[in-house]
Amino acid sequence: GGTKVTVVGMNFVDSAALRCRFGDAGSVTARWVSPSKLECDSPAQMPGCVAVEVTNNEADFTTHDVRFTSAAALGITSISPSSGPLEGGTAVSVFGTDFVFAGELLCRFGLSTVVATYVSKNELRCVSPAQSEGSVAVEVSANGVDFTTSGSMFTFMPAPSVLSLSPSVG
């Protein structure tokens, strides 16, 4: 639970009775944004797909059957490699648990977000972005909103360069 879900519709009223219901998990308080938009935090529930309905009066819920899918929380166990050049472009494998093939798979390197590629339920691949020198946390998301908090670190460093070698023949 805890995903901030934006609900778009019409005739939403700014009142204390504004609520969202996620399947049979009970209703939660909604935050009015405008007559056509509100926000709700998804409740904790078992993974699966449920209908989301809203009410202006805590009694009469919509019956539009707009669906929300809750999934198991993603987890990162390791990344490889754990460093790359400042210019970015390093293919990074992120290993973990409960990865899903989703339309919004993302990797976040510090404050920079890049698209992730699904490999398996235990692996995603991301290409590191350009970044200044130092270490940043690497986290992943299946919905573009909720990111892991693994603490896995990736270090950006200047790329090595070869100036000469000796002997040049062997």
Side-chain angles (χ1 to χ4, degrees), residues 50-68:
V50 297
V52 177
E53 306 295 351
V54 299
T55 181
N56 285 325
N57 65 4
E58 293 189 54
D60 302 308
F61 283 86
T62 58
T63 57
H64 295 108
D65 199 36
V66 176
R67 310 300 277 180
F68 175 82

Side-chain angles (χ1 to χ4, degrees), residues 84-88 133 156-162:
L86 304 175
E87 297 79 16
E133 189 169 357
F156 289 89
M157 60 184 76
S161 61
V162 176

Side-chain angles (χ1 to χ4, degrees), residues 117-140:
T117 301
Y118 178 85
V119 177
S120 73
K121 69 178 187 171
N122 297 315
E123 183 181 358
L124 300 176
R125 286 211 185 106
C126 309
V127 176
S128 66
Q131 192 91 0
S132 58
E133 189 169 357
S135 295
V136 298
V138 176
E139 306 298 348
V140 297

Side-chain angles (χ1 to χ4, degrees), residues 20-63:
C20 293
R21 182 175 62 203
F22 290 76
D24 296 329
S27 65
V28 296
T29 302
R31 289 177 299 285
W32 185 85
V33 177
S34 73
S36 62
K37 188 184 289 185
L38 55 90
E39 296 175 341
C40 303
D41 293 332
S42 67
Q45 56 193 24
M46 295 298 293
C49 188
V50 297
V52 177
E53 306 295 351
V54 299
T55 181
N56 285 325
N57 65 4
E58 293 189 54
D60 302 308
F61 283 86
T62 58
T63 57

Side-chain angles (χ1 to χ4, degrees), residues 90-115:
T90 301
V92 179
S93 289
V94 180
F95 300 100
T97 57
D98 296 317
F99 295 153
V100 294
F101 184 76
E104 296 186 68
L105 283 174
L106 299 173
C107 286
R108 186 170 60 197
F109 290 78
L111 299 176
S112 299
T113 303
V114 297
V115 173

